[in-house]
Amino acid sequence: MRIPLDYYRILGLPIQATPEQLQVAYRDRTLQLPRREYSEVAIASRKELLDEAYAVLSDPEQRSSYDASFLGKTYNPESSPSLPLESTATDETTATEAIDPNNPSLDISKEQFVGALLILQELGEYELVLQLGQPYLHSRDSISLDKGHLGDPQLVRPDIFLTLALACLELGREQWQQGRYENAALSLETGQELLLSEGLFPTVRGEIQADLYKLRPYRILELLALPDEQIAERRKGLQLLQDMLQERQGIDGSGDDQSGLSIDDFLRFIQQLRGYLTAAQQQTLFEAEARRPSAVATYLAVYALIARGFAQRQPALIARAKQMLMRLGRRQDVHLEQAVCALLLGQTEEASHALELSHEYEPLAFIREQSQGAPDLLPGLCLYGERWLQNSVFPHFRDLAEQTASLKDYFADEQVQAYLEQLPESTRTANNEWSVTAQKKAYTTTGASTGRSNGHSRDREPAVVGSYSSRERDRAAQTASFAGGSDRTSVSGVSTLPASQRVASATSRVGEPTTQAINSSGDSPTNTAVKSAPPGRSTKVRSEAEASRVRPVSGVSTPSAEPGHLDQSPPGRLQRLPEHRKAAKNRRSILLVIAGVVGIGLIGWLLIAWIQKIQQSFSAPALEGEQPMVELAQPPIPIPEADSQLIAPGGPLTQDTAQQVIQTWLSTKSQVFGPDYQIDRLDQILVDPVLSIWQRRAQTNQQRNIYTQYNHQVKVTSVQTNPANPEQAKVEAAVKEEARFYQNGEINQALSYDDNLRVQYELVRQDGQWFIKGMAVR
């Protein structure tokens, strides 16, 4: 049986190796045992090949003869065509028929085949291992595995399956580092299926499954980023995401999906993938998650509903978003979003009330600045809402990122106009939480603060949430005037123009100079009459108030406003009333007024309590427990990249964290000494004194036009934290480093090497991150 190996590769040495290097390499390779799952047969077969390679190369005459046939033949595994995993074979020669005869190769006995596969797997030739071992996966199809040609089938068969599975595992990890996440998942799943088919090595299966769990977020991002035409792949990404959400029990749930992502990391991951989902996909996903319940999902669903409702001219979706904001309003300030929703539904007074309740100072300052010269804040809110949709909402949706937000186009749409016109006025006020609050404060005679509310009640139907009708607005103005009057233009501080005219007028101001006032030339005679009256009062209320101030003096009766209604009392009767009777009558009048006010206030309080109780019976489930605060103005940031800084937890250094630190260093080393010479990355993992040493080495290589391609495998063997200073630690690790040096674009075999090293690293924690400050090969 012939295999694509040579004696130098078996020992991991270049052809220029000295006898001393040969002896050290043989000793290290002999002491470095494979995984404990291998049988004694596989270990003995591997040892035979190592002994044979050392025997030939340690003898000068045999080495000279071997070198004569070896020179000029450098094995290149990529020159051999790949053998599909699904193919079958009928004899053992099929596994080696693709070997290039110009590459170095060895004749081995059939009993040494398992050892040869094991050596190739240790050398990182994972694809070649699969190519050579694949035919034996179908050994029942007359291949010699079960016939004992390769050794005892009860021992050899598990060894071959283990080697193939480990090759799949390492190949998957290699593809993961290369950013080929779906290919990595395919390799890992292949290795897992191999062991499951035979019921072998549950520990290795668990290791593969753990990698699949950690790989899943990256697969989701890769699949969702595919073009829209790849429907099946994108649907697979959504399914993987839903599986993660189910295992985590929601976006901010306490479940474990074994991905290693904390709640904050997962929020960043969700924010990163939003850009790959359409508005409809996000609406479906986050509305379902909001029912768990979840404040984060509710907030994200609101954004999807607003974006889709505005872009597709569906105000009903905006009404649903407004209702969901009612639930969030109990825990955080979302009045600014509520104001935008109310604006898009033509509910201008309600939008103004929401602005009054908001504590978002910077946006409010912008809105006030853009509303200078206007009787209310509507022009500034229109400009803010348009920019907010364009810059903060649309960019998070795959199908809306390039779309322009225009309030003029939105309100000019016939479908939008038809929806807003069909909102029933009678149910608008009944379901309007600010309307209820205004009536309550009018009954309790609190005057100018009408319209503010400390709590929120939820609407029964989002389609019927509307703005003040003109009759209700006039009534609120009259009530406020009776309770003491106000110098404001209206109860809520906004213009008394009809809502449709005010929105149209304000949207026409978007982009115009801020000092331009709203054009009111289109006011109807009715509105003009109302505006000409004293602030806060109607003409009728004023005339009645003036008439009520006319009192009978010296027994002379005064005619009332109605004809034929005269005071028929005898002249001078009021003067002839005894003083005590007049005082008693005044006291009774005062008591009646007080009793009336108290009675009206009590009735109003009972009425509002009854309305809130009814509304709560139709409300969605309450958000239980402490919910995280989410602000889309400051959204979660993307998932950390593989080479991002390691934030070290408090307490002593753990073996898992140490493994991550060393892997980060080796990955950084590959980038620094690679063809791109990313020397500035060294300070992300190293500190002086070792930082300066490696910077000089990298700069020297760059000047000499030398770069290196590394392939690393690392395993931390011990971690020792300094008892006197937990911010310092020593880590020992077994590192397999394969380096291929290139100078002026051509490989330099003399400098290239493949070593197995034992390295001691000195670590220090600074600003919450572990750095390497020293290292030594032991």
Side-chain angles (χ1 to χ4, degrees), residues 360-495:
E360 302 285 347
Y361 299 110
E362 292 184 6
L364 288 175
F366 172 83
I367 293 172
R368 291 191 182 99
E369 180 182 355
Q370 300 301 321
S371 301
Q372 291 180 5
D376 55 23
L377 300 179
L378 189 59
L381 179 60
C382 288
L383 182 58
Y384 172 82
E386 191 171 85
R387 293 187 179 183
W388 178 70
L389 288 166
Q390 185 70 62
N391 301 326
S392 300
V393 178
F394 281 2
H396 294 287
F397 299 93
R398 184 188 185 104
D399 54 336
L400 302 179
E402 304 299 327
Q403 187 162 330
T404 302
S406 173
L407 282 178
K408 293 181 181 179
D409 295 342
Y410 171 81
F411 283 108
D413 186 82
E414 295 181 357
Q415 183 176 346
V416 174
Q417 292 178 0
Y419 179 87
L420 298 184
E421 289 174 359
Q422 291 176 359
L423 291 177
E425 286 196 1
S426 60
T427 53
R428 288 178 184 173
T429 305
N431 287 325
N432 191 321
E433 62 168 333
W434 287 286
S435 175
V436 172
T437 307
Q439 293 177 30
K440 174 184 176 181
K441 298 206 173 187
Y443 285 139
T444 54
T445 67
T446 54
S449 62
T450 304
R452 297 180 179 268
S453 174
N454 294 326
H456 295 278
S457 57
R458 284 176 267 190
D459 305 327
R460 292 181 57 180
E461 298 292 340
V464 298
V465 180
S467 63
Y468 280 41
S469 66
S470 60
R471 181 171 56 185
E472 288 295 322
R473 183 170 59 247
D474 291 341
R475 187 181 67 178
Q478 294 171 12
T479 306
S481 176
F482 179 77
S486 172
D487 292 334
R488 305 172 71 180
T489 304
S490 68
V491 177
S492 59
V494 300
S495 171

Side-chain angles (χ1 to χ4, degrees), residues 4 73-83 97-104 125 127-128 131:
K73 297 182 179 181
T74 302
Y75 174 68
N76 181 12
E78 296 181 357
S79 64
S80 300
S82 298
L83 189 64
E97 63 183 6
I99 297 176
D100 188 344
N102 296 320
N103 284 331
E125 300 290 354
E127 294 180 348
L128 185 58
Q131 178 181 333

Side-chain angles (χ1 to χ4, degrees), residues 150-184:
L150 302 181
D152 186 354
Q154 300 296 326
L155 299 176
V156 174
R157 185 180 182 86
D159 288 333
I160 291 179
F161 274 81
L162 175 61
T163 306
L164 296 178
L166 291 175
C168 289
L169 172 61
E170 297 300 333
L171 179 61
R173 290 173 174 174
E174 188 176 274
Q175 292 168 331
W176 187 346
Q177 292 181 350
Q178 296 169 355
R180 299 156 56 196
Y181 304 124
E182 197 59 18
N183 288 339

